[in-house]
Amino acid sequence: ISMGRFLPEYYKPSFVAAQMQFCHTSNGVFPHINPGELFVWMGIATGIQTLGLSQMDLAIRYMLVGIVMNFVGGWVTDFTTAYVAKQQGVTLSKTFD
């Protein structure tokens, strides 16, 4: 998250939104990222294992869908930031000085 300090003010909200969402979506491959969601992941993975399917395939799919959804979330946050800035009469810089 600290890399966001080098971004222009306009892009900071979407960067933070995407970073926070990434902690949820890569839990299958990197379980140490968000231990609170590990219980959800392990429940789903146990069901997959009971069916005789690969947990790693589930983890990769979970992460790929998460990356796409992180992009969509960041994009929607960009639109929301532009809307709120316009509504409040605030001009956010799109360049880093």
Side-chain angles (χ1 to χ4, degrees):
I1 295 175
S2 61
M3 291 300 292
R5 66 188 270 188
F6 300 110
L7 290 173
E9 291 298 317
Y10 182 83
Y11 299 108
K12 285 182 182 181
S14 57
F15 175 78
V16 170
Q19 287 295 316
M20 294 300 157
Q21 291 171 13
F22 186 73
C23 291
H24 300 288
T25 57
S26 58
N27 202 38
V29 180
F30 307 106
H32 62 282
I33 288 178
N34 192 357
E37 284 198 14
L38 189 57
F39 293 106
V40 174
W41 165 256
M42 292 302 291
I44 295 168
T46 301
I48 294 295
Q49 185 178 19
T50 302
L51 293 173
L53 301 172
S54 171
Q55 291 178 349
M56 192 48 128
D57 290 342
L58 173 68
I60 297 298
R61 289 182 179 128
Y62 193 73
M63 191 164 111
L64 291 175
V65 168
I67 289 171
V68 170
M69 293 310 298
N70 291 346
F71 172 77
V72 170
W75 196 40
V76 168
T77 304
D78 272 345
F79 286 120
T80 306
T81 301
Y83 176 78
V84 172
K86 183 178 179 182
Q87 180 187 36
Q88 299 295 318
V90 176
T91 304
L92 297 173
S93 172
K94 289 188 177 183
T95 60
F96 187 75
D97 298 327

